[in-house]
């Protein structure tokens, strides 16, 4: 059975002290060998085998990191090496509450003062970007978008009503979750309403704070930068208003916009029907929103959005007769009107669609890899792209010879050098800052992974094990990348100390956030080593890179396993 999640396994490695106190062997951290006055720490290198593996479609349903974090990508990313990738998604909506009620209920039809029908004041569709506050200017805040790629280029975005039902359980086996993959966009597109709810032919995200205005166009609320569509009705209060002794009366001065009328027809006009009685009924009736992207021309932009706080908000003037005399004035025929917000959250049932066509020349280089001998170059690309497979000990005899050593591994690492010839004339900002390694056979992370680093920012988390991209000019993101150092000290010690060591290959992937290690299934693994899952942080990573392999024509940059060790007897 294929694995759905990377297992979170911590392997504790005991360091044995078998020498006198003034000759204690030490593990090496951050390139420091430490005190070694008697020259007891020795160094060696192992030849490894490394090759690329093209990935099939990847699981993209239920991209959940936490209740507050459901990352998706919206837009178009043009990679100078790997070509264009397009990101769309669909998500169901959830009712604000079961038995949704918009007021205006009169049981006495003879009343001369009927309860007015509800009026929609405003409709908004909102999906927050990931952003960081950088300053305050008066009452306004200034933000920087955390993950925007090719931000100056526009594209077309459309929102359609989805008519395809997104299952949470497998209809053929109700004990299993339903799994959706990035290449299943046709399931949705073949059943869409023909006309979009919204269309913008030149969309481009911005980092501006969003100001929500009230009926008098005063700032009512300030929100972080987000994808937002907000339309307001032209409504006036013609009586009462500020006078508590006079009943409020509102009038719609002009017809609703198309967007507001759409939600009037599909939501408010369903009041009293079974479709608003429960979430399941509603999601079978209104099956969500589909966000479709189309290139407007050359290029595009892509950005991370957080569906955990995404919603459709209906601001409605709701009127009810005060039959229970809630205000205690003795009048049970008066009508109270209040402005009420009805928030329809994006539900966890969502699917990210990724359209990606890797250029033929890259495909040919990947397929020409040799699983037995390795490759000159390694190709890493996020999404349904490409991963690398590393065999630290290519043969059983080499692995057995390693296990026969009575060693304490003080330090061990792989240096993955960037093939800079592939980035000639390309800004270094397109190179991924992080790569991630894990057991290619069973999906487990390695013993060097530090779970306590999850509290550190994604950019600087787990850098001892998973080193950040070293650049020609430090701290200059436009500078060319040089190498990634992946430390495997604890992994090798765990093999030496295990009663049942297994010579498992290691997978290497691009990662947008090494703290996010939840696994997503690969649809069809066909290589001789079947890589069955990749981390969620790889699935949503637009970027890619090219690294020197073990057969690189540059001997100084060939991939090797470098080991510092102490003999323990």
């Amino acid at each position: 059975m294929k694995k759905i999640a990377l297992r979170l396994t911590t392997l504790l490695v005991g360091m044995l002290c078998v020498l006198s106190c003034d000759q204690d062997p030490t593990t090496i951290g951050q390139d420091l060998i430490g005190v070694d006055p008697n020259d007891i720490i020795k160094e060696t290198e192992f030849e490894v085998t490394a090759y690329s593996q093209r990935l099939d479609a990847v699981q993209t349903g239920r991209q959940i990191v936490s209740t507050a974090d459901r990352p998706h990508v919206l837009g178009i990313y043009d990679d100078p090496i790997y070509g264009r990738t397009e990101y769309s998604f669909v998500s169901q909506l959830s009712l604000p509450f079961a038995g949704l009620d918009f007021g205006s209920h009169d049981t006495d039809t003879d009343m001369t003062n009927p309860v007015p029908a509800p009026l929609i004041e405003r409709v908004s569709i909102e999906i927050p970007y990931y952003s960081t506050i950088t300053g305050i200017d008066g009452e306004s805040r200034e933000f920087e978008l955390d993950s925007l790629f090719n931000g100056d280029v526009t594209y077309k975005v459309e929102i359609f009503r989805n008519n395809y039902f997104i299952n949470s359980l497998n209809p053929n086996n109700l004990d299993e979750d339903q799994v959706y993959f990035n290449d299943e966009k046709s399931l949705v597109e073949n059943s869409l309403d023909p006309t979009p709810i919204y269309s913008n032919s030149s969309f481009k995200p911005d980092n501006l704070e969003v100001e929500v205005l009230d009926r008098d166009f005063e700032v009512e609320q300030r929100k972080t930068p987000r994808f937002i569509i907000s339309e307001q009705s032209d409504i006036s209060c013609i009586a009462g208003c500020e006078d508590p002794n006079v009943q409020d009366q509102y009038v719609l001065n002009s017809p609703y916009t198309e967007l507001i009328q759409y939600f009037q027809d599909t939501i408010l006009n369903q009041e009293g029907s079974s479709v608003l009685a429960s979430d399941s009924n509603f999601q079978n009736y209104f099956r969500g929103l589909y966000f479709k992207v189309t290139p407007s021309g050359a290029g595009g932009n892509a950005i991370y959005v957080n569906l955990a706080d995404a919603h459709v908000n209906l601001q409605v003037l709701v009127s009810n007769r005060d039959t229970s005399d809630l205000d205690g004035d003795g009048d049970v025929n008066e009508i109270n009107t209040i402005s009420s917000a009805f928030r329809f959250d994006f539900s966890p049932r969502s699917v990210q669609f990724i359209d990606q066509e890797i250029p033929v020349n890259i495909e040919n280089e990947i397929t020409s890899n040799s699983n037995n001998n390795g490759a000159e170059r390694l190709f890493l690309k996020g999404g349904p792209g490409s991963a690398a497979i590393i065999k630290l000990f290519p043969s059983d005899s080499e692995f057995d010879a390693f296990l026969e050593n009575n060693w304490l591994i003080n330090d061990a690492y792989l240096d993955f050098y960037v093939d800079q010839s592939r980035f000639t004339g390309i800004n270094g900002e397109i190179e991924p800052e992080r790569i991630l390694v894990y057991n290619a056979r069973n999906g487990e992370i390695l013993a060097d992974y530090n779970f306590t680093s999850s509290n550190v920012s994604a950019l600087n988390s787990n850098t001892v094990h998973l080193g950040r991209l070293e650049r020609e000019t430090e701290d200059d993101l436009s500078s060319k990348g040089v190498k990634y150092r992946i430390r495997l000290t604890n992994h090798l010690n765990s093999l030496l100390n295990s009663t049942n060591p297994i010579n498992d290959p290691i997978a290497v992937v691009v990662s947008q956030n090494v703290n996010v290690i939840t696994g997503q299934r690969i649809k069809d693994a066909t290589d001789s080593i079947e890589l069955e899952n990749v981390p969620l942080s790889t699935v949503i990573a637009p970027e890619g890179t090219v690294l020197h392999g073990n057969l690189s024509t540059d001997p100084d940059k060939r991939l090797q396993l470098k080991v510092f060790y102490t003999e323990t007897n």
Side-chain angles (χ1 to χ4, degrees):
M1 180 177 293
K2 294 185 181 293
K3 290 139 183 97
I4 299 177
L6 293 175
R7 301 187 193 127
L8 307 182
T9 304
T10 302
L11 302 179
L12 301 180
V13 179
M15 297 301 180
L16 303 178
C17 177
V18 296
L19 302 176
S20 61
C21 293
D22 61 347
Q23 296 180 355
D24 282 349
T26 59
T27 56
I28 301 170
Q30 299 289 62
D31 303 323
L32 299 177
I33 294 180
V35 178
D36 186 22
N38 298 297
D39 195 26
I40 62 172
I41 296 178
K42 299 178 181 179
E43 175 184 346
T44 189
E45 293 176 345
F46 291 89
E47 300 296 326
V48 303
T49 299
Y51 59 93
S52 303
Q53 178 174 318
R54 186 71 165 87
L55 303 179
D56 202 341
V58 290
Q59 177 188 352
T60 54
R62 298 178 65 83
Q63 294 179 182
I64 302 173
V65 176
S66 68
T67 55
D69 193 6
R70 300 210 310 267
H72 287 64
V73 187
L74 178 68
I76 299 167
Y77 179 71
D78 280 335
D79 188 285
I81 296 173
Y82 292 97
R84 173 166 291 178
T85 307
E86 298 179 6
Y87 297 89
S88 304
F89 62 83
V90 64
S91 178
Q92 289 186 336
L93 300 178
S94 296
L95 285 176
F97 52 87
L100 194 58
D101 188 333
F102 300 103
S104 68
H105 302 302
D106 252 341
T107 55
D108 187 351
T109 57
D110 294 331
M111 288 187 177
T112 58
N113 182 25
V115 176
L119 289 174
I120 300 178
E121 297 179 276
R122 181 173 61 244
V123 170
S124 63
I125 302 174
E126 304 181 26
I127 312 176
Y129 305 136
Y130 290 88
S131 60
T132 302
I133 187 168
T134 58
I136 298 177
D137 182 11
E139 295 183 353
S140 300
R141 298 169 295 173
E142 298 173 345
F143 291 87
E144 179 180 55
L145 299 180
D146 293 344
S147 300
L148 174 64
F149 306 91
N150 302 342
D152 292 331
V153 188
T154 64
Y155 62 91
K156 182 178 183 180
V157 61
E158 297 171 289
I159 304 177
F160 292 85
R161 178 177 177 174
N162 169 46
N163 292 311
Y164 177 80
F165 186 74
I166 304 173
N167 284 294
S168 57
L169 298 176
N170 184 346
N172 298 318
N173 185 350
L174 297 180
D175 293 328
E176 293 182 352
D177 291 338
Q178 177 64 45
V179 177
Y180 292 99
F181 296 90
N182 73 276
D183 64 345
E184 296 179 326
K185 185 169 67 174
S186 61
L187 295 175
V188 170
E189 292 204 336
N190 289 343
S191 59
L192 289 178
D193 280 1
T195 304
I197 298 172
Y198 168 84
S199 179
N200 183 346
S201 60
S202 57
F203 173 72
K204 182 174 69 173
D206 62 54
N207 62 342
L208 300 179
E209 181 179 61
V210 173
E211 294 181 344
V212 180
L213 305 180
D214 62 16
R215 197 182 310 115
D216 298 321
F217 299 99
E218 298 292 332
V219 177
E220 182 178 72
Q221 190 178 4
R222 298 182 185 274
K223 299 184 176 183
T224 60
R226 60 195 54 216
F227 176 96
I228 183 168
I229 304 157
S230 183
E231 295 186 5
Q232 193 154 325
S233 301
D234 182 10
I235 296 175
S236 297
C237 181
I238 60 174
C241 307
E242 303 298 328
D243 188 347
N245 297 315
V246 178
Q247 181 175 301
D248 292 346
Q249 293 184 38
Y250 296 89
V251 62
L252 184 64
N253 298 316
S254 56
Y256 284 146
T257 65
E258 288 186 9
L259 179 68
I260 295 177
Q261 186 62 51
Y262 180 84
F263 283 98
Q264 172 71 44
D265 296 338
T266 57
I267 304 296
L268 270 71
N269 288 355
Q270 307 306 314
E271 184 180 19
S273 72
S274 61
V275 301
L276 301 182
S278 67
D279 225 24
S280 58
N281 287 2
F282 176 69
Q283 289 171 350
N284 189 44
Y285 158 70
F286 192 90
R287 298 183 174 184
L289 297 176
Y290 172 53
F291 291 72
K292 178 180 180 179
V293 302
T294 307
S296 296
N301 72 73
I303 190 167
Y304 284 99
V305 294
N306 186 7
L307 297 197
D309 194 30
H311 58 274
V312 173
N313 191 70
L314 306 183
Q315 195 72 28
V316 183
L317 283 172
V318 176
S319 299
N320 283 291
R321 193 175 303 280
D322 188 15
T323 56
S324 299
D325 193 21
L326 295 177
D327 56 8
D329 63 358
D331 187 352
V332 295
N333 289 321
E334 66 179 344
I335 298 171
N336 294 329
T337 302
I338 59 173
S339 179
S340 301
F342 297 88
R343 172 170 165 148
F344 297 75
D345 288 325
F346 283 44
S347 86
R349 294 186 199 171
S350 61
V351 185
Q352 174 87 69
F353 300 118
I354 307 174
D355 292 329
Q356 178 175 279
E357 291 188 11
I358 290 181
V360 174
N361 66 306
I362 303 295
E363 292 274 18
N364 290 339
E365 287 198 64
I366 293 174
T367 56
S368 66
N369 277 242
S370 169
N371 294 13
N372 295 321
N373 300 321
E376 181 180 342
R377 295 182 180 89
L378 304 176
F379 295 90
L380 306 184
K381 175 66 170 74
S386 180
I389 304 296
I390 313 297
K391 298 178 182 178
L392 296 181
F393 305 100
S395 68
D396 291 340
S397 60
E398 290 171 278
F399 185 53
D400 291 340
F402 168 73
L403 295 177
E404 289 176 1
N405 294 304
N406 293 315
W407 287 355
L408 170 68
I409 307 299
N410 304 103
D411 194 18
Y413 56 80
L414 295 165
D415 277 339
F416 291 90
Y417 283 90
V418 177
D419 184 354
Q420 294 184 333
S421 67
R422 294 300 182 104
F423 292 89
T424 302
I426 298 174
N427 190 307
E429 289 186 351
I430 70 110
E431 297 184 58
E433 276 292 307
R434 308 300 299 273
I435 61 176
L436 178 66
V437 299
Y438 59 99
N439 187 306
R441 179 183 63 84
N442 59 25
E444 294 180 1
I445 58 173
L446 304 184
D448 296 82
Y449 190 91
N450 181 3
F451 288 96
T452 61
S453 290
S454 60
N455 296 323
V456 181
S457 69
L459 194 60
N460 296 304
S461 176
N462 258 297
T463 52
V464 174
H465 172 37
L466 308 167
R468 282 182 60 179
L469 177 62
E470 298 178 26
R471 297 181 181 270
E472 290 180 342
T473 303
E474 189 177 358
D475 297 328
D476 180 2
L477 295 182
S478 65
S479 177
K480 279 188 176 182
V482 176
K483 69 175 182 180
Y484 304 88
R485 174 162 291 183
I486 302 301
R487 188 162 269 108
L488 303 174
T489 309
N490 292 343
H491 176 64
L492 293 188
N493 273 317
S494 68
L495 292 175
L496 289 172
N497 293 325
S498 174
T499 57
N500 184 30
I502 301 176
N503 187 21
D504 285 333
I506 293 173
V508 186
V509 292
V510 171
S511 176
Q512 193 62 25
N513 182 343
V514 298
N515 292 336
V516 179
I517 55 177
T518 302
Q520 302 288 87
R521 184 183 300 178
I522 297 174
K523 191 173 188 178
D524 184 21
T526 57
D527 276 358
S528 58
I529 296 178
E530 295 189 345
L531 188 62
E532 296 186 347
N533 55 42
V534 292
L536 172 56
S537 59
T538 300
V539 172
I540 61 174
E543 299 166 311
T545 189
V546 183
L547 308 173
H548 286 271
N550 64 298
L551 299 182
S552 172
T553 56
D554 186 340
D556 293 331
K557 295 181 179 178
R558 285 178 187 158
L559 183 63
Q560 293 180 316
L561 175 62
K562 195 162 189 175
V563 176
F564 296 85
Y565 65 94
T566 303
E567 294 182 343
T568 57
N569 62 1

